[in-house]
Amino acid sequence: MTSELLRPQLQREHASWLEDVAEALGPAQRAEAGPWARWNALRYLESTFPERVGRERRMVQEVSARLTDPQRARLWALGELLDLLPAYIGHQVGLCHRAGEFSALTGRLQEAFGRWCRAVEEDLGPLLASALPDGLLEELAVEVGIAS
């Protein structure tokens, strides 16, 4: 795997992760969803999602010396959004009872997340898997349940 480019692995991981996020948030974003569905989605945004974002940000940090200044700046800004938005959403008192606002905020988070995935794939994709410390990419793949 060390001579393989990162792009195919990142694309597989991100496709699975995007699906996970859609499954966690989608039912809660429906107009007919109740407060408990939104509450469950909020739990996902406060636990599972930030852990994965943290792992990806560490991966980006590991190869940051190989990236250009604009690439580092873009990935930093998107990473900050993915750190801040779930925390912001989670601190909105009574959000579980406001379907429209919940859908708007989580929709913004999903848009930022999609942009993160594309940026990581574009910026890290041309690098060889060997650019990452042993086991890091496999840890990400296992996290989302895909095999390399």
Side-chain angles (χ1 to χ4, degrees):
M1 171 157 120
T2 56
S3 63
E4 179 185 348
L5 294 179
L6 284 173
R7 185 180 312 274
Q9 182 80 12
L10 291 170
Q11 289 172 329
R12 287 190 300 270
E13 177 215 331
H14 287 153
S16 179
W17 193 10
L18 285 161
E19 188 176 304
D20 288 348
V21 170
E23 287 174 7
L25 300 181
Q29 292 171 322
R30 294 188 186 114
E32 69 276 5
W36 287 111
R38 289 186 286 278
W39 186 86
N40 285 328
L42 289 172
R43 298 296 68 81
Y44 173 83
L45 291 178
E46 291 177 339
S47 59
T48 305
F49 188 78
E51 292 170 7
R52 287 185 177 180
V53 168
R55 282 198 250 309
E56 283 239 341
R57 291 191 80 184
R58 284 189 295 281
M59 175 183 63
V60 169
Q61 186 60 39
E62 288 290 335
V63 298
S64 66
R66 298 172 184 233
L67 302 176
T68 66
D69 285 339
Q71 288 172 322
R72 281 192 297 274
R74 174 171 74 157
L75 291 170
W76 175 84
L78 287 168
E80 288 295 301
L81 275 175
L82 294 181
D83 280 347
L84 294 173
L85 280 173
Y88 175 78
I89 291 169
H91 284 93
Q92 296 303 299
V93 176
L95 187 61
C96 293
H97 301 282
R98 299 190 307 272
E101 188 178 350
F102 177 89
S103 292
L105 288 171
T106 55
R108 285 179 144 179
L109 180 131
Q110 285 179 284
E111 177 66 25
F113 175 55
R115 289 176 185 268
W116 165 265
C117 291
R118 286 189 299 278
V120 169
E121 291 165 13
E122 288 171 9
D123 295 345
L124 276 64
L127 301 176
L128 294 176
S130 60
L132 296 176
D134 287 340
L136 181 58
L137 198 56
E138 291 82 1
E139 177 185 330
L140 292 168
V142 168
E143 168 80 24
V144 294
I146 59 174
S148 52

